[in-house]
Amino acid sequence: MSTTVVGILGFLTIIAIVVTLFKSKTIPSIAFIVFPSILALILVLGGYYNIEQIGKLIKGGFGSTGATAALFVFSVLYFGIMTDAGMFDVIIDKLMKLVGDNVIGVTVMTAVIALIGHLDGGGASTFLIVVPAMLPVYKKMHMRKTTLLRCAVLSMGVLNLMPWAGPTMRAASVLGVEAGQLWRTIIPIQIFGIVLCLGHAVLAGFQEKARGAGLNGKLAKEAVVEESEEGAEIKQDNELARPKLFVFNICLTIAVIALLVWDQFPSYVPFMLGVAAAILVNYTPVKMQKKIINRHAGPALMMCSTLMGAAVLMGILVYGFNADGAAAIAKPGVEMQITSVVSNMAEIITMILPASLGTHLPLVIGILSVPLALAFDTDSYFYGMLPVMIAIGASFGLDALPIAIAMVVCRNCATFISPMVPATLLGVGVAEVDIKDHIKASFGYVWAFSIICMLFAVAIGLMPI
């Protein structure tokens, strides 16, 4: 089976997954398992892989997502316990006094918290800071959860340009320069992007206000009847509340987040320790502890199964085999014995780009970056596609730097709407949003955002026309 056919099959697999999810034919975990498995079967029948290699690929996928799966489970349990104990009720009251009935203030606050929270460059940690803090406020003010995610991911995309963040480091390694050197070049774009994401937050606030969000808005009045029917559930929640332990719970949460940001342990360890401490202190009887775990087992299992499905998707599409015959992701200096499916997909893209567009390659790849983010993970995008694009640009006399800038800036905008990025799955899970709804609500804004940033780069002379 030729590499071109393999690449085409890869695109068909991605399209099948996206269409299935958008038409609500099944849940993400099932789609992530079924379609890559069909692809794997075809590749085995076509002689590209054998059965043993497929097993190694899937194992490689689980190796890259296993830690995030553990983070899923324990973060859901932790924030579930904190919600039951009533910690967020106190925080909501404080935030509501701060913002009042100001819907625009809530969206701007979301963007600011995301900007600050993403200074460490970690997508998972940022989602776990922003979403639990702001989701109860959005619910109380009858604002859409997809708006919360969109405000967050645009801010995170801009801050993801930091030199210690993954995309900038990967692009710098391909260019053969220090990440800090590449970052200093794109600082003006990052500053512009920060202003732009705050402007978007204001726009999002106006949109929410127009549809009736707010404490006294149209949606609040319509919800009065529904809230009266939820009295029994509220009564049960009050029985689980531990107002006297608020100080302990808030200190514990700060400690968990501090450990997460410190990044000296695997990301799931702070939440494992947090769950143990929270459940022992807040709910002493063993029967109560079992009740609390069972209460949040459903959401935790749903999120975890989604990521396990994504592991199959990542393994079969992203991993290939290096010279030693081990499953691996293609990186500079690593000789590949069998190229991955996404590497072959990247080759197809380079083949179909018209030669007439060669001199405008940075603009072309900048425009295509957001749609391609839905099909390529970060490693494959920068280690697989960027070197090929640089080689193509060189044949037209183009420098490597503008191509790298286009790919870094525009791809970063779309990082956290991509189902190929595990942190995205964590974010939508914590925010109680389907991945398809997140993509629908954010894709157009993210694409426009990336193009505006690219045009700014052109205006200041960092990218040729």
Side-chain angles (χ1 to χ4, degrees):
M1 183 179 289
S2 69
T3 56
T4 301
V5 173
V6 172
I8 292 171
L9 290 172
F11 279 113
L12 291 176
T13 301
I14 294 295
I15 292 170
I17 291 172
V18 172
V19 170
T20 302
L21 292 180
F22 271 52
K23 289 191 174 182
S24 301
K25 296 296 183 181
T26 187
I27 58 177
S29 58
I30 302 302
F32 291 162
I33 294 170
V34 170
F35 291 108
S37 297
I38 294 173
L39 172 63
L41 177 61
I42 295 172
L43 294 179
V44 169
L45 294 175
Y48 192 77
Y49 292 131
N50 58 43
I51 290 294
E52 183 183 358
Q53 289 173 328
I54 293 297
K56 290 180 179 179
L57 292 175
I58 295 174
K59 186 176 180 180
F62 272 86
S64 64
T65 59
T68 309
L71 174 62
F72 269 37
V73 172
F74 286 98
S75 63
V76 169
L77 288 176
Y78 181 80
F79 288 116
I81 293 168
M82 290 296 104
T83 300
D84 291 340
M87 185 192 77
F88 287 109
D89 293 336
V90 179
I91 295 174
I92 293 168
D93 291 339
K94 298 293 183 183
L95 287 174
M96 295 311 298
K97 288 179 181 178
L98 180 63
V99 300
D101 196 22
N102 190 342
V103 176
I104 298 170
V106 172
T107 53
V108 172
M109 183 184 294
T110 304
V112 171
I113 294 174
L115 287 170
I116 296 171
H118 203 61
L119 283 170
D120 68 340
S125 60
T126 307
F127 277 126
L128 292 172
I129 291 170
V130 178
V131 177
M134 297 306 299
L135 182 58
V137 178
Y138 275 70
K139 287 181 177 179
K140 191 162 187 175
M141 298 188 72
H142 307 281
M143 298 168 67
R144 288 171 293 188
K145 292 174 283 189
T146 51
T147 300
L148 162 59
L149 284 176
R150 192 172 73 238
C151 290
V153 300
L154 284 174
S155 299
M156 292 163 67
V158 172
L159 261 291
N160 220 35
L161 293 172
M162 289 297 188
W164 50 83
T168 303
M169 285 196 296
R170 288 172 175 85
S173 67
V174 172
L175 289 174
V177 301
E178 291 290 331
Q181 181 181 342
L182 177 58
W183 176 61
R184 285 190 289 273
T185 303
I186 59 179
I187 283 177
I189 305 175
Q190 188 175 37
I191 294 172
F192 175 77
I194 291 172
V195 174
L196 196 60
C197 76
L198 292 174
H200 162 267
V202 174
L203 173 63
F206 276 114
Q207 290 173 331
E208 289 297 318
K209 195 172 182 179
R211 58 182 289 273
L215 294 176
N216 301 304
K218 179 182 68 175
L219 296 176
K221 295 174 182 177
E222 293 175 354
V224 171
V225 178
E226 296 178 12
E227 290 175 358
S228 64
E229 296 173 354
E230 296 173 356
E233 184 177 346
I234 293 171
K235 184 178 179 181
Q236 182 186 15
D237 291 344
N238 288 339
E239 292 174 355
L240 298 174
R242 299 292 185 268
K244 293 181 180 179
L245 292 173
F246 172 76
V247 174
F248 168 80
N249 287 329
I250 196 70
C251 289
L252 179 62
T253 301
I254 292 170
V256 168
I257 293 174
L259 280 175
L260 191 68
V261 174
W262 189 30
D263 200 25
Q264 295 299 306
F265 303 96
S267 58
Y268 51 83
V269 171
F271 284 101
M272 292 177 73
L273 296 173
V275 166
I279 203 164
L280 284 172
V281 174
N282 286 277
Y283 305 104
T284 306
V286 175
K287 287 185 178 180
M288 183 63 78
Q289 292 175 4
K290 290 181 179 179
K291 179 181 178 181
I292 294 297
I293 295 295
N294 289 332
R295 181 178 168 89
H296 300 290
L301 179 61
M302 178 63 74
M303 291 174 65
C304 193
S305 66
T306 298
L307 194 65
M308 294 302 182
V312 178
L313 173 68
M314 295 282 287
I316 294 173
L317 265 71
V318 174
Y319 280 74
F321 290 93
N322 60 23
D324 298 325
I329 297 175
K331 295 181 180 180
V334 177
E335 183 182 347
M336 299 300 290
Q337 185 183 101
I338 304 178
T339 54
S340 66
V341 173
V342 290
S343 295
N344 297 324
M345 291 164 63
E347 289 291 342
I348 290 176
I349 291 173
T350 59
M351 287 190 299
I352 63 176
L353 281 176
S356 58
L357 295 177
T359 55
H360 306 290
L361 189 60
L363 292 178
V364 174
I365 197 63
I367 293 171
L368 294 177
S369 285
V370 171
L372 291 176
L374 300 182
F376 289 86
D377 70 297
T378 308
D379 280 331
S380 300
Y381 190 79
F382 288 102
Y383 291 143
M385 190 178 293
L386 178 55
V388 177
M389 290 297 173
I390 289 174
I392 293 174
S395 67
F396 289 94
L398 295 173
D399 291 335
L401 183 61
I403 297 172
I405 289 174
M407 294 186 72
V408 170
V409 171
C410 297
R411 169 60 168 74
N412 261 324
C413 295
T415 297
F416 299 108
I417 66 169
S418 172
M420 300 293 282
V421 176
T424 302
L425 303 176
L426 174 64
V428 297
V430 176
E432 304 168 7
V433 174
D434 285 339
I435 182 68
K436 66 178 179 66
D437 294 330
H438 174 46
I439 295 174
K440 281 181 181 179
S442 301
F443 184 85
Y445 288 90
V446 169
W447 201 357
F449 191 96
S450 71
I451 291 174
I452 293 171
C453 287
M454 182 184 68
L455 294 176
F456 178 77
V458 171
I460 62 175
L462 287 180
M463 285 175 56
I465 299 178

